[in-house]
Amino acid sequence: GGQDEAASSGKITVTFAGTEAATTTQSKMMQAVADVLNADGRFDAEVLVAGALSGDTDALVTQAKLGVPLVVPSDPGRLASQFNIPDMNILMAPYILTDPAVLEKLPDTELFKTWSSQLEKQGIVLIADMYNGFRNFYTVEKVEHVEDLSGMRIRGFGNDIGNALAKHFGFANIAIPFGEVFPAIQQGALDGTEVQVSAAAGNAFWDVTPYIAITKHYMLQTAFVCSTRLLNGMPDDAREFFLKTIREKALEYGKTGEEAEDGLYQKMADNGVTITEVDLKEFQDAIAPLYKNNDLKFSPGLKEKLFDQLGM
Amino acid sequence: MNKLFSWLDKAEKVVCGTGFVFLIAFVFLSAFLRFFRVSMSWNIDLAMLLLAWTAFLGADVAWRSGQIIGVDILTRTFPEKLQRLIELVVYLIILTALGFMFVYSLRLAWTERIARYQSMPIPYSLVILSLAVASLSMIFSTLQKIRRVSLQLFGKDSSPDRRSPE
Amino acid sequence: MNLVLICFVIFLLMGMPIAFVIGIAAFTFFITRPMLPFEGAVQMVILQSQSFAFLAVPFFIFAGNLMNVSGITSRLLGLARLLTRRMYGGTAQISVVMSTLMGGVSGSATADAAMETRILGPEMMRIGYKKGYICSVNCVSALITATIPPSLGLIIFGFVGEVSIGRLFAGGIIPGFLMMLFLMITTSLTSRFKKYDPPQADAPRLTFREIGENLKESVWALMFPVILIVGIRFGLFTPSESGAFAVVYAVIIGKFVYRELTWENFKDALVTSFKDNGAIMLIIAMSGPFSYAITWVKLPVILSNFIFGISSNPQVLVLIMLGFLFVTGMIVDSNVNFILLTPIFLPMVQSLGFDPIHFGVLMATVVTLGVMTPPIGAALYTVCGIIDCPPEEYTRESIPFMAAVLLELAVLVFIPEAVTFIPNLIFG
Ligand code: NA
Ligand code: NA
């Protein structure tokens, strides 16, 4: 059954394999792409979400690279570590990208093309970069100013970016698997987490974190990748259709996701969470030394180059 | 040859035991530090790396010591010679599988040679190598089992002892 | 997929260890599909070892082994003897009570069954119990140990199903004590019927002073589960980390309170533990490519559609699942059962509004029972091996005990509060 039948039918087989739940924007987007591809007739696309194939995004990307016909939603930070392209981390760095609209222009920038070609040399194609939500602080105590975060035990990214953010905001960065964050906050092993609202609402965080501070420090992106081998195996017109469909749906669902955020914040508020609009300038200033000292070891002038190419 | 094997056996136990104690100490420490609000963002990755090494090497120690055995619900009704013959075939199949695991874990480690842990400046391939090393070690253990069964089957001393404890 | 199943059955019948049976059967799936590179199979093996929640397994195995060498076990045995000395089938009752007390320090049914058969077996044979009966009571009552927290079955269910292990632990408390009650009644009835071991007329009545004397020593072991749950509740450690605290606690009590832990027996416990852990991890790791293969051919979807087709009543469905697990448990290793079936069953029962903690405790119990059921069961062969009992005799004598456990589970299906009351009380 399954993919075996597809392989023998002469159609182009492709599996979208994600780790998020079926209800998230990312999973819905992949289903929408698969529907369009299947309706076209040249493709046999299926979607496996919620980690059905594997719960490890990097492993799925490796499988794609090895030749399994997968499209995998990863993110620029993961790809930066996995394929040793440190400069690509800037897409996930705090307060660099602050407006989802820039993602429309991003694929046309020289920098993005450089990173893409570095990936392609390693057998991976970055098809599209989709908006996946701003991350904010969800805490047990109210956070209005940077110093309120001081000393809090917050679950953040366990990578250099996460540590740099913790250093400049003054909280203790605690690595805990995402699934254990809810009970850890509930039982007092953590004072909060930084996360996007879709994940917070999807996991009923209103039960454990009575406060949200709208700091918008990271703009999360989903980077859809597949292997060069998969693309090269397609006839030219099919490949073009395939890439076009994913890019269009990425833009469309990026916007859908953005619009859905208001409703999700409302849902948090309806469940008794206090949402604090902080002074973003104050938080951005606290992060400024990160770029001045070049904590993340970017190439010289990278930030200016990116802003210039994005016309910011 | 036997001397080398017993030295390797001992070395494996020491590495595995030390890793196990470190793993516990380390997880204990990270919980302790968190209580005192100290950052430790690489604790998960390091614990997982230690777990892979201790688990896979531990599996080899268990395999060699005869702890990992199948169920002889059907085969125990067979004549002694046939039982040993089936045992030999089982070991040969396992040996082949271990050979595949060894070669392909090395190939996977090579594929991932560039990847770094997000939280630690060390290659991600280190975790893959745990399986390569354990597979190699299990290949040696399986060869010893094959030698023992072959002696029982074809050797001059064909004493009909049951699956002897190792 | 047919090739996978054929290999699975043939290798199993040839007497190949289960870890290799699963792994090699799955390898054939990868080899026969050019689309799936073999590196992917190896990668799935490695990834299975990369779960933080799994850490609790090696830690609690080690803690349990340390308890055995540090004098904690022997003190609990003293307490169990005290509590049962005026009962019918008193020596068999010691085993049931001992498994309940051990429940708080050990998570492994097989280890508990082996330990108690070794200690109580010779004594029971001398008094006149039949071998099959001795093995049955020691083996099946060890299921209590695996139900009362800590419990390896609950940890593995929690880590596969991404359910709070802290809550699962708390959920096992009432079912564990209820099982003790069911098995004590069964022991009493069967030993009266078989005229085993009547209470001695001159056995002195139990006094509070006597219990108090014993508790002075055994309280350190009895406190153990309380400390674990309190530590989790107050955020000192997460459930995955709790095993590391258990090890440290066992070392401290063994070294400084009971003064029986030496460097030599520490090393023995350490080697036993990493071997046990390696053996379990090998099964779990090798099932990685197997799960991948069955997902690839959509077996989980097919199976859950089939089960959904039978009934949509949650209780009936859970009873069917438990029956299914009991049957698969007869032939499939318990870890394999957890890994392959939790991801299929849990979403199904959740979609019907069945509490995941409630289901987890039921599933963990029935799957762990699989190690005690013929024809294939690790605990069964371990206890039968210890006193050289024919497995057929065990099978016959174990029927009343198995029936008691199944009856308890069937009752629990309809009383969710018996499972969820304590977790809700502790964790809100
Ligand atoms: Na017992
Ligand atoms: Na237990």
Side-chain angles (χ1 to χ4, degrees):
Chain A
Q3 290 295 47
D4 294 351
E5 286 157 19
S8 55
S9 69
K11 291 185 178 181
I12 302 165
T13 307
V14 57
T15 299
F16 292 79
T19 58
E20 288 190 3
T23 49
T24 65
T25 308
Q26 184 189 91
S27 301
K28 285 184 194 153
M29 177 274 187
M30 293 195 292
Q31 190 57 58
V33 172
D35 291 344
V36 173
L37 293 178
N38 286 332
D40 174 72
R42 282 172 291 184
F43 290 88
D44 196 307
E46 70 169 308
V47 182
L48 291 173
V49 291
L53 213 46
S54 168
D56 186 313
T57 300
D58 292 351
L60 290 168
V61 173
T62 301
Q63 288 191 5
K65 180 178 159 170
L66 286 167
V68 186
L70 299 178
V71 174
V72 183
S74 180
D75 68 61
R78 286 179 174 280
L79 295 172
S81 293
Q82 199 174 0
F83 297 97
N84 192 23
I85 311 174
D87 277 359
M88 211 166 126
N89 263 321
I90 198 165
L91 294 176
M92 297 287 273
Y95 298 122
I96 294 289
L97 300 187
T98 50
D99 179 2
V102 298
L103 292 180
E104 219 159 324
K105 285 185 253 170
L106 186 67
D108 300 323
T109 60
E110 279 309 309
L111 278 170
F112 191 85
K113 286 175 187 161
T114 314
W115 298 328
S116 296
S117 76
Q118 277 173 291
L119 283 173
E120 271 169 57
K121 273 187 208 133
Q122 300 186 53
I124 282 291
V125 178
L126 173 49
I127 306 170
D129 205 19
M130 181 176 90
Y131 172 73
N132 195 27
F134 281 107
R135 276 169 87 108
N136 297 309
F137 287 98
Y138 292 69
T139 50
V140 292
E141 304 277 352
K142 191 169 190 173
V143 172
E144 282 184 290
H145 300 285
V146 175
E147 62 262 28
D148 295 335
L149 284 166
S150 177
M152 277 189 173
R153 291 163 302 176
I154 306 266
R155 188 263 187 185
F157 288 133
N159 57 15
D160 290 345
I161 294 180
N163 289 333
L165 187 82
K167 182 175 128 194
H168 294 288
F169 281 171
F171 62 87
N173 191 27
I174 307 291
I176 270 188
F178 184 71
E180 293 189 13
V181 170
F182 184 103
I185 297 175
Q186 189 175 40
Q187 285 135 41
L190 287 179
D191 304 310
T193 181
E194 51 99 11
V195 71
Q196 64 274 29
V197 70
S198 56
N203 290 282
F205 273 18
W206 50 75
D207 279 343
V208 291
T209 55
Y211 298 99
I212 307 177
I214 306 293
T215 49
K216 293 190 168 182
H217 49 276
Y218 299 134
M219 190 176 97
L220 287 187
Q221 298 139 63
T222 301
F224 291 95
V225 299
C226 72
S227 67
T228 47
R229 208 191 303 182
L230 176 65
L231 282 185
N232 294 341
M234 296 180 191
D236 288 349
D237 53 337
R239 184 191 314 123
E240 211 162 294
F241 177 68
F242 174 78
L243 293 174
K244 191 173 128 257
T245 308
I246 296 180
R247 282 175 188 151
E248 280 177 6
K249 290 289 171 199
L251 280 179
E252 181 191 330
Y253 276 79
K255 291 203 176 78
T256 314
E258 200 184 336
E259 285 154 15
E261 285 189 324
D262 290 337
L264 294 172
Y265 283 121
Q266 191 55 50
K267 192 172 179 186
M268 297 293 297
D270 291 344
N271 281 286
V273 176
T274 306
I275 299 175
T276 313
E277 294 286 346
V278 300
D279 175 13
L280 283 184
K281 179 86 173 36
E282 181 195 335
F283 283 79
Q284 284 171 345
D285 287 348
I287 287 297
L290 191 163
Y291 298 106
K292 215 164 78 200
N293 310 337
N294 198 14
D295 287 351
L296 297 170
K297 303 192 176 59
F298 292 136
S299 308
L302 180 69
K303 186 178 153 192
E304 291 71 23
K305 224 185 274 172
L306 179 68
F307 282 5
D308 182 53
Q309 292 177 7
L310 284 170
M312 286 160 63
Chain B
M1 203 61 182
N2 279 338
K3 233 180 184 170
L4 179 71
F5 275 133
S6 82
W7 184 84
L8 280 175
D9 177 64
K10 190 147 193 213
E12 190 174 43
K13 280 181 184 147
V14 170
V15 170
C16 204
T18 314
F20 208 81
V21 170
F22 262 96
L23 178 58
I24 291 164
F26 174 69
V27 170
F28 185 82
L29 186 74
S30 68
F32 198 73
L33 287 178
R34 182 184 58 230
F35 190 75
F36 292 101
R37 298 169 188 277
V38 178
S39 273
M40 224 183 177
S41 60
W42 36 270
N43 60 337
I44 297 182
D45 285 342
L46 185 60
M48 290 303 97
L49 182 61
L50 282 172
L51 178 62
W53 277 90
T54 53
F56 290 133
L57 288 182
D60 176 48
V61 178
W63 174 232
R64 182 146 10 102
S65 65
Q67 188 179 336
I68 298 175
I69 50 169
V71 186
D72 58 351
I73 191 156
L74 179 69
T75 52
R76 71 176 159 202
T77 61
F78 293 174
E80 188 65 29
K81 273 265 179 197
L82 185 58
Q83 285 189 34
R84 292 290 86 81
L85 195 66
I86 291 174
E87 201 180 343
L88 182 65
V89 173
V90 164
Y91 288 146
L92 288 171
I93 297 171
I94 291 175
L95 187 71
T96 314
L98 290 170
F100 266 94
M101 282 166 65
F102 174 65
V103 171
Y104 278 89
S105 52
L106 286 182
R107 288 178 59 146
L108 182 64
W110 177 251
T111 306
E112 297 268 39
R113 66 192 177 280
I114 288 176
R116 294 280 173 278
Y117 275 98
Q118 283 203 53
S119 67
M120 303 183 288
I122 55 170
Y124 176 73
S125 286
L126 283 177
V127 69
I128 302 169
L129 288 178
S130 69
L131 187 65
V133 171
S135 299
L136 186 63
S137 191
M138 288 172 105
I139 286 173
F140 286 126
S141 308
T142 311
L143 285 171
Q144 280 174 299
K145 287 174 193 283
I146 289 174
R147 206 188 76 178
R148 180 179 50 75
V149 180
S150 304
L151 279 176
Q152 286 174 354
L153 260 176
F154 312 113
K156 292 189 188 96
D157 169 38
S158 56
S159 59
D161 64 335
R162 312 248 308 154
R163 239 181 248 200
S164 56
E166 287 145 274
Chain C
M1 201 63 204
N2 292 335
L3 181 63
V4 176
L5 293 179
I6 292 169
C7 289
F8 187 93
V9 173
I10 292 180
F11 292 163
L12 194 69
L13 290 177
M14 284 171 83
M16 188 186 277
I18 187 78
F20 291 111
V21 172
I22 305 164
I24 299 174
F27 289 167
T28 65
F29 184 83
F30 282 79
I31 288 171
T32 52
R33 267 164 199 73
M35 198 189 266
L36 298 178
F38 198 78
E39 285 96 334
V42 172
Q43 187 189 38
M44 287 301 128
V45 172
I46 295 162
L47 278 183
Q48 286 291 94
S49 72
Q50 300 296 291
S51 161
F52 198 69
F54 183 80
L55 278 179
V57 173
F59 292 172
F60 278 113
I61 289 176
F62 191 29
N65 285 329
L66 282 172
M67 306 280 173
N68 286 343
V69 298
S70 62
I72 291 178
T73 308
S74 56
R75 278 158 183 85
L76 289 179
L77 189 66
L79 182 61
R81 280 184 193 284
L82 206 61
L83 293 173
T84 57
R85 83 179 158 207
R86 283 171 63 93
M87 291 181 187
Y88 219 105
T91 321
Q93 299 286 15
I94 292 177
S95 175
V96 181
V97 174
M98 180 64 184
S99 290
T100 312
L101 297 176
M102 277 304 285
V105 299
S106 163
S108 160
T110 308
D112 181 63
M115 186 266 292
E116 285 171 37
T117 310
R118 221 169 263 132
I119 296 175
L120 299 171
E123 192 179 331
M124 290 174 82
M125 278 195 278
R126 191 178 51 77
I127 302 174
Y129 289 92
K130 257 173 84 179
K131 278 183 179 175
Y133 188 91
I134 299 171
C135 288
S136 299
V137 72
N138 279 303
C139 195
V140 180
S141 69
L143 190 58
I144 306 171
T145 309
T147 308
I148 291 176
S151 153
L152 294 190
L154 291 175
I155 294 169
I156 294 175
F157 175 86
F159 119 79
V160 178
E162 293 180 7
V163 176
S164 158
I165 293 170
R167 277 179 179 272
L168 285 168
F169 273 5
I173 295 173
I174 296 178
F177 281 99
L178 202 61
M179 197 186 298
M180 175 188 82
L181 197 68
F182 273 64
L183 290 177
M184 284 184 88
I185 293 169
T186 312
T187 304
S188 183
L189 292 177
T190 49
S191 58
R192 265 170 218 271
F193 180 72
K194 291 170 191 287
K195 308 215 164 33
Y196 287 150
D197 199 6
Q200 282 161 346
D202 57 344
R205 200 170 278 280
L206 192 60
T207 62
F208 280 112
R209 236 196 71 202
E210 241 180 326
I211 294 189
E213 282 296 311
N214 186 291
L215 280 181
K216 249 187 239 165
E217 285 232 311
S218 57
V219 68
W220 295 103
L222 294 173
M223 291 247 297
F224 184 74
V226 180
I227 290 173
L228 280 185
I229 290 191
V230 168
I232 293 172
R233 173 62 189 84
F234 289 99
L236 186 58
F237 40 78
T238 67
S240 319
E241 296 161 347
S242 60
F245 283 77
V247 170
V248 173
Y249 182 78
V251 168
I252 291 172
I253 299 298
K255 179 84 189 140
F256 299 107
V257 181
Y258 294 158
R259 298 172 194 275
E260 287 184 24
L261 186 64
T262 62
W263 174 238
E264 279 308 311
N265 55 30
F266 175 84
K267 270 197 306 194
D268 286 346
L270 180 62
V271 173
T272 312
S273 304
F274 70 63
K275 270 162 55 176
D276 288 351
N277 178 48
I280 294 179
M281 182 59 95
L282 191 65
I283 294 172
I284 289 180
M286 294 296 252
S287 68
F290 198 89
S291 306
Y292 190 94
I294 66 170
T295 309
W296 196 258
V297 297
K298 298 194 160 99
L299 205 61
V301 182
I302 297 167
L303 185 61
S304 43
N305 285 343
F306 172 74
I307 297 177
F308 264 135
I310 303 173
S311 168
S312 59
N313 175 306
Q315 276 85 16
V316 172
L317 212 57
V318 168
L319 281 174
I320 293 171
M321 285 175 185
L322 294 180
F324 185 85
L325 288 166
F326 180 73
V327 174
T328 54
M330 287 181 168
I331 43 168
V332 180
D333 176 89
S334 59
N335 294 309
V336 179
N337 235 340
F338 278 123
I339 293 166
L340 298 186
L341 295 174
T342 306
I344 302 174
F345 286 171
L346 184 61
M348 288 175 69
V349 297
Q350 274 183 296
S351 72
L352 294 171
F354 208 84
D355 186 273
I357 305 296
H358 184 195
F359 181 72
V361 171
L362 297 174
M363 175 162 174
T365 311
V366 82
V367 168
T368 310
L369 185 63
V371 303
M372 301 156 185
T373 47
I376 296 171
L380 181 172
Y381 286 104
T382 309
V383 294
C384 288
I386 291 171
I387 59 167
D388 210 12
C389 164
E392 302 77 39
E393 198 183 311
Y394 164 90
T395 306
R396 219 169 26 244
E397 298 284 338
S398 67
I399 291 170
F401 296 98
M402 297 274 175
V405 171
L406 292 177
L407 181 67
E408 187 219 351
L409 287 175
V411 170
L412 282 177
V413 169
F414 296 94
I415 317 175
E417 295 78 14
V419 176
T420 56
F421 175 72
I422 295 188
N424 290 341
L425 187 75
I426 297 178
F427 296 102

